[in-house]
Amino acid sequence: MKYSPGRHFLQIPGPTNTPLPILAAVAKPTIDHRGPEFAELGLNVLKRIRAVFKTSRPVIIYPTSGTGAWEAALVNTLSSGDRILMFETGWFSTLWAKMTKALGLEPEIISGDWHTGVDAGVIEARLRADKQHAIKAVAVVHNETSTGVASDIAAVRKAIDNAKHPALLLVDTISSLASIDYRHDEWGVDVTVGGSQKGLMLPPGLAFNAISEKAIEASKNAKLPRSFLGWDEMLASNASGFFPYTPSTNLLQGLRVALDLLEEEGLDEVFARHDRAALAIRRAVEQWGFEIQCRNASEFSSSLTAVRLPEGYSADALRSEVLQRANMSLGNGLGPLADRVFRIGHLGDFSNASILGTLAGVELGLKARGIPYGRGGVDAAADILLGNSSPIAQAAE
Ligand code: PLP
């Protein structure tokens, strides 16, 4: 493809923009993964990644994508024929459920509407009815990347506890980790699944399992075949900073710097920055007069917004226009949302200028395609980014 001048705006909901200090660390010469320098790196990142999951227990780091970490969560804790309760929040929960079938598990899927998040009350009712404890795990997606809906994981924990059910809780945080507050230990999650390419600001290629004591116990009796993804050998090697096979050395070099950047900014400020950006984006969408895919204000995702175009307009045509005219990539609609929504990623490494530039790029595309929209989206977003929640009141001053 012909070179497009100017920096590409990668505004898909992951992979995200990688900051230069991380890229520089990834580009450093590869080191001996069995030598002392690597052991120091391994111990460093394995210890510090725990804070991002808010856990004091081990986090496994795989050289794989998020899908590999989904599989790891299942094969390490469950046996063939085990029942697993899942909630359909959108495309990614559906894919995870498909994987459970392929692995010989029996998913029981609570249907959803792709506009709202996990209904903990329905989970509680189902678990209460499961007197024999046939359900071995509950698996949910914290932040559904296809719809921009974030679910209340603490409420799911409470539902399991209220039902006095022993099921494990497995949670996908691939598009929320290091962007939206998440507490593995406090929320009693047994396996948290994460990936490197979103809030952690790294290229794709690392994926994570944060694991509870109960999950480790379950892994001792779990019978699904596992080899590469097995926790036991990994934990044994990780104790001295090493891996049972060749790790993604350079991505781990990048991870060390990503953790530096997150620590420097502070996780609370990272979350606040994402919340502000998300609110600014939503204000602009309101100004444009378009519908947001997420229906409940309490479930708005802080890492992405899925925007519905009015009937008769193609979201994919808009995305192509934006790519061509603004050198900016927006996320496509997935599954039944194909061509109906476009998704704006606002996660990882971004500034106020990135957010305003993103909105301006969308407006350029809307204008170019002749899609009717309310003017002033960028301005409305700027007010939010400046902390002026009531621009009208301010104008009156
Ligand atoms: N789960 C969620 C919520 C995701 O957003 C993604 C990817 O975007 C995945 C799972 C799959 O991860 P990967 O594409 O890294 O395998």
Side-chain angles (χ1 to χ4, degrees), residues 7-20 22-23 143 145 174-179 195-205 258 262 273-274 302-304 329 344-350 354:
R7 191 166 179 146
H8 181 68
F9 266 51
L10 183 64
Q11 299 307 139
I12 58 175
T16 60
N17 297 287
T18 303
L20 288 176
I22 296 181
L23 283 176
N143 187 67
T145 324
I174 289 173
S175 61
S176 54
L177 189 72
S179 301
S196 57
Q197 74 272 27
K198 308 215 184 210
L200 285 174
M201 308 172 285
L202 286 157
L262 289 172
R273 175 167 56 84
H274 283 74
S302 283
S303 61
L304 78 129
S329 296
I344 304 175
H346 33 86
L347 72 165
D349 186 49
F350 61 81
S354 335

Side-chain angles (χ1 to χ4, degrees), residues 162-205:
N162 288 347
K164 299 195 174 41
H165 199 288
L168 294 165
L169 175 57
L170 316 180
V171 180
D172 170 339
T173 63
I174 289 173
S175 61
S176 54
L177 189 72
S179 301
I180 301 173
D181 192 15
Y182 181 81
R183 305 168 184 207
H184 176 88
D185 284 2
E186 190 183 317
W187 294 344
V189 179
D190 293 301
V191 188
T192 299
V193 173
S196 57
Q197 74 272 27
K198 308 215 184 210
L200 285 174
M201 308 172 285
L202 286 157

Side-chain angles (χ1 to χ4, degrees), residues 209-232:
N209 274 181
I211 49 185
S212 71
E213 191 58 49
K214 187 172 158 188
I216 300 254
E217 278 310 305
S219 76
K220 292 180 184 153
N221 300 312
K223 300 273 185 315
L224 279 180
R226 58 184 192 260
S227 169
F228 178 71
L229 295 173
W231 289 341
D232 39 5

Side-chain angles (χ1 to χ4, degrees), residues 84-90 93-94 97 107-120 122-123 126 139:
I84 177 165
L85 185 63
M86 307 185 89
F87 202 103
E88 181 200 10
T89 42
S93 70
T94 303
E108 187 178 322
I109 300 157
I110 301 169
S111 306
D113 59 9
W114 292 49
H115 287 284
T116 52
V118 174
D119 184 336
V122 176
I123 290 189
R126 182 60 197 99

Side-chain angles (χ1 to χ4, degrees), residues 145-352:
T145 324
S146 60
T147 58
V149 175
S151 289
D152 183 347
I153 300 305
V156 177
R157 170 79 264 158
K158 204 150 164 262
I160 299 173
D161 292 347
N162 288 347
K164 299 195 174 41
H165 199 288
L168 294 165
L169 175 57
L170 316 180
V171 180
D172 170 339
T173 63
I174 289 173
S175 61
S176 54
L177 189 72
S179 301
I180 301 173
D181 192 15
Y182 181 81
R183 305 168 184 207
H184 176 88
D185 284 2
E186 190 183 317
W187 294 344
V189 179
D190 293 301
V191 188
T192 299
V193 173
S196 57
Q197 74 272 27
K198 308 215 184 210
L200 285 174
M201 308 172 285
L202 286 157
L206 295 179
F208 309 91
N209 274 181
I211 49 185
S212 71
E213 191 58 49
K214 187 172 158 188
I216 300 254
E217 278 310 305
S219 76
K220 292 180 184 153
N221 300 312
K223 300 273 185 315
L224 279 180
R226 58 184 192 260
S227 169
F228 178 71
L229 295 173
W231 289 341
D232 39 5
E233 278 186 41
M234 189 65 120
L235 288 171
S237 294
N238 283 175
S240 50
F242 293 109
F243 286 68
Y245 38 71
T246 312
S248 287
T249 321
N250 294 53
L251 288 179
L252 293 171
Q253 291 171 178
L255 177 58
R256 172 157 37 193
V257 175
L259 294 169
D260 290 344
L261 300 185
L262 289 172
E263 279 172 19
E264 203 178 299
E265 186 177 358
L267 270 187
D268 287 344
E269 178 46 34
V270 170
F271 300 146
R273 175 167 56 84
H274 283 74
D275 291 344
R276 261 193 317 273
L279 183 60
I281 298 275
R282 291 196 299 273
R283 265 311 133 75
V285 177
E286 276 167 30
Q287 196 71 27
W288 295 336
F290 300 154
E291 194 187 327
I292 290 172
Q293 182 68 17
C294 176
R295 289 240 167 97
N296 298 332
S298 61
E299 295 179 323
F300 282 138
S301 165
S302 283
S303 61
L304 78 129
T305 303
V307 183
R308 295 178 71 88
L309 275 189
E311 285 298 332
Y313 292 100
S314 158
D316 286 345
L318 172 67
R319 290 189 316 105
S320 308
E321 196 79 50
V322 169
L323 178 60
Q324 190 211 320
R325 297 200 185 251
N327 193 13
M328 180 167 86
S329 296
L330 294 168
N332 62 331
L334 295 166
L337 301 182
D339 208 26
R340 292 292 304 123
V341 306
F342 66 93
R343 294 174 300 143
I344 304 175
H346 33 86
L347 72 165
D349 186 49
F350 61 81
S351 65
N352 286 343

